[in-house]
Amino acid sequence: MRFTIGHFISFVILAPMMLNAQIGWTRHTIADNFDGACSVHAQDIDGDGFVDVLAAAIDDNRIALWTNSGSYPVSWIYQTIDSSFIGACFVFAEDVDGDDDVDVLGSAWYNHELAWWENDGGSPISWTKHTIETGFYNAHEVTATDMDGDSDIDVLGAAALIDEIAWFENDGLNPIGWTKHTIDADFDGARSVKAVDIDRDGLKDVVGAALLANAVTWWRNNGDSTWTEYPVDTLFGMAHMVYSFDLDADGDSDIVAAAYTSNAIAWWRNDGGMPVQWTKQTIDGSFLGALGVYVKDINNDGHLDILGAADVLDDVAWWSNDGNTPIYWNKQIIDGSCDGAWPVFAEDIDTDGDMDVLAVAHNVDDIHWYESDLVGIKEVGRHHLPSSVLGPTIIRGPLHLYNNEKSEIYDIAGRRVFPQLTAPGVYFIVIDGKTAGKVIRIK
């Protein structure tokens, strides 16, 4: 079908839409020989606007980065950050030194160490390692946030062998000095730690999971460098990972966790009060070998959903939050053959407006990302633009845009593509960040 070309052409205004059907997932392998892969994190590390991937390999003693080329299909450029971080166990990213680029943090299980790597810029990025703490035996998890309200980034860690949850104060100097503050030295088999304001008093509290204590716990920040411990659940068998988000959108932070021998993903609703009262809801009690959990709005409905990874089942799954009270959780399998599924994460890898998922198949040393087909296109109205802005309606060969900085191309599934990658098909134009566009058929 050809359109009549005049001075003005009628354009269909296009908007991303949520598909009501179950989300489809396409598995892509980022790495297939990352020996002992056990942690994955996604964030724009090099500042180019595309989401990159970080991972830790416990058997290969390695922290690594895959930079996203920004093309479609997505391609990756590999870089080793550190190949001698003995027992690399967990990886995280934050601007530690406040210089407006993203640095990398890691924990080393066998080297009993927490460290950060300073992003020195360049292409490829140059990295400088700085040790935060040694003697942090079986360092399992590390995260970073401003704990004391002084506008610099502090670090938290969980050490399994010494049963410790601690935070490390950033003195703001160059080079940064770190002061250790122990929150709990008797949290048996400490595995996971996060910082969040549980009681809404403006101070960062801490939540944690302990494998041997079968415990999910929070510690109240008393504001005077002391902490008060409040157990949330002491029967959550081999609790392995914890996060805290406002799952029911009531203004306070709830807790979600994964437990290996309880084979469970569960959340605890924060009911307020002092001490805070909790109501537990098991999301899935037959998720065999649950190790990983994460929180993200997967289906773009405004409600936070749950992701999980099960080591025994080899499952990567998500549970959609229907937003009701009580929340009804609808389980959908993303991958039923992720061998030794351990960590799970979510971010928009291909820049198409929906959340993709990352997971590690620990038993076979693979790192995968799962492309969501959620975002589609629907018509919501009409708009008129000069035809000279976009050129002909039907063209042969490459598509050339009038202003590449202000114009973007999306395929029929709502995925962003680039002019040099447009195969024959139907495409949509987004101009200057607005969802106004014209259907283009390329022959």
Side-chain angles (χ1 to χ4, degrees):
M1 175 180 179
R2 292 182 178 271
F3 295 91
T4 301
I5 305 296
H7 182 67
F8 288 91
I9 298 179
S10 179
F11 287 80
V12 179
I13 294 182
L14 304 156
M17 65 179 290
M18 295 175 296
L19 304 181
N20 292 325
Q22 181 169 329
I23 297 173
W25 302 94
T26 301
R27 186 169 87 175
H28 304 275
T29 299
I30 299 172
D32 60 6
N33 192 28
F34 197 57
D35 194 12
C38 59
S39 178
V40 67
H41 181 89
Q43 192 169 330
D44 180 10
I45 303 299
D46 57 2
D48 65 353
F50 301 107
V51 173
D52 308 307
V53 172
L54 293 159
I58 195 167
D59 296 329
D60 204 24
N61 308 314
R62 189 175 299 266
I63 301 289
L65 167 68
W66 289 262
T67 55
N68 181 339
S69 68
S71 61
Y72 188 84
V74 176
S75 61
W76 303 96
I77 301 169
Y78 172 81
Q79 182 187 13
T80 295
I81 295 175
D82 196 322
S83 59
S84 57
F85 195 53
I86 309 302
C89 188
F90 198 86
V91 67
F92 190 73
E94 184 55 89
D95 181 9
V96 175
D97 53 1
D99 64 352
D100 296 324
D101 54 25
V102 180
D103 308 302
V104 173
L105 301 101
S107 63
W109 178 265
Y110 296 124
N111 215 40
H112 317 302
E113 181 182 4
L114 300 179
W116 72 283
W117 291 264
E118 182 178 356
N119 180 340
D120 296 320
S123 182
I125 297 170
S126 297
W127 300 95
T128 301
K129 180 184 175 183
H130 304 274
T131 297
I132 299 168
E133 178 77 352
T134 58
F136 200 58
Y137 289 92
N138 289 164
H140 189 265
E141 191 170 296
V142 64
T143 190
T145 189
D146 180 8
M147 289 294 295
D148 51 4
D150 63 354
S151 300
D152 52 31
I153 296 297
D154 308 301
V155 171
L156 297 99
L161 188 61
I162 55 175
D163 309 325
E164 190 165 277
I165 299 290
W167 76 280
F168 303 85
E169 183 180 355
N170 179 342
D171 66 6
L173 300 178
N174 186 13
I176 296 171
W178 301 94
T179 301
K180 179 181 177 181
H181 303 273
T182 298
I183 296 170
D184 195 326
D186 192 29
F187 196 48
D188 197 5
R191 285 300 193 276
S192 185
V193 61
K194 302 295 187 298
V196 64
D197 184 4
I198 292 291
D199 55 1
R200 298 199 292 182
D201 64 352
L203 302 174
K204 288 284 179 68
D205 308 305
V206 171
V207 297
L211 192 85
L212 301 182
N214 307 312
V216 174
T217 296
W218 79 281
W219 294 265
R220 184 178 185 267
N221 182 344
N222 297 318
D224 58 1
S225 300
T226 65
W227 301 85
T228 302
E229 178 182 4
Y230 293 98
V232 177
D233 195 323
T234 58
L235 297 173
F236 202 49
M238 298 185 77
H240 188 262
M241 182 166 281
V242 67
Y243 278 93
S244 183
F245 288 88
D246 184 7
L247 294 178
D248 55 358
D250 65 351
D252 51 30
S253 293
D254 310 302
I255 294 174
V256 60
Y260 190 77
T261 55
S262 281
N263 303 309
I265 303 290
W267 78 287
W268 292 261
R269 188 183 69 219
N270 182 338
D271 293 325
M274 182 46 69
V276 174
Q277 302 299 303
W278 302 94
T279 299
K280 179 179 179 180
Q281 182 187 22
T282 297
I283 297 168
D284 193 324
S286 57
F287 200 53
L288 304 184
L291 279 177
V293 68
Y294 194 64
V295 178
K296 205 79 171 184
D297 181 5
I298 298 298
N299 56 0
N300 287 354
D301 66 351
H303 305 300
L304 289 174
D305 308 305
I306 305 295
L307 289 152
D311 173 66
V312 175
L313 279 181
D314 300 329
D315 275 1
V316 178
W318 74 286
W319 294 263
S320 62
N321 174 351
D322 71 353
N324 289 326
T325 303
I327 296 172
Y328 173 76
W329 301 94
N330 179 38
K331 181 179 180 179
Q332 298 182 34
I333 299 295
I334 297 171
D335 188 351
S337 59
C338 185
D339 194 358
W342 188 344
V344 64
F345 202 83
E347 193 51 81
D348 184 4
I349 296 294
D350 51 2
T351 323
D352 66 350
D354 55 29
M355 284 297 144
D356 307 301
V357 172
L358 297 103
V360 162
H362 178 73
N363 292 344
V364 291
D365 308 320
D366 289 349
I367 301 171
H368 302 301
W369 76 278
Y370 301 87
E371 182 180 354
S372 166
D373 68 0
L374 174 68
V375 174
I377 300 293
K378 68 177 179 180
E379 298 183 8
V380 296
R382 290 188 170 273
H383 185 57
H384 293 274
L385 290 174
S387 61
S388 59
V389 172
L390 295 177
T393 303
I394 301 176
I395 68 170
R396 299 177 184 272
L399 175 61
H400 299 284
L401 299 180
Y402 178 75
N403 188 333
N404 276 329
E405 293 183 358
K406 294 185 176 181
S407 303
E408 296 174 347
I409 310 171
Y410 291 84
D411 68 14
I412 195 70
R415 297 171 298 197
R416 187 180 177 188
V417 296
F418 294 85
Q420 65 271 25
L421 299 175
T422 48
V426 178
Y427 298 89
F428 306 99
I429 307 297
V430 172
I431 302 171
D432 200 17
K434 299 176 182 178
T435 53
K438 179 184 178 182
V439 177
I440 303 290
R441 185 182 304 276
I442 298 179
K443 289 189 174 182

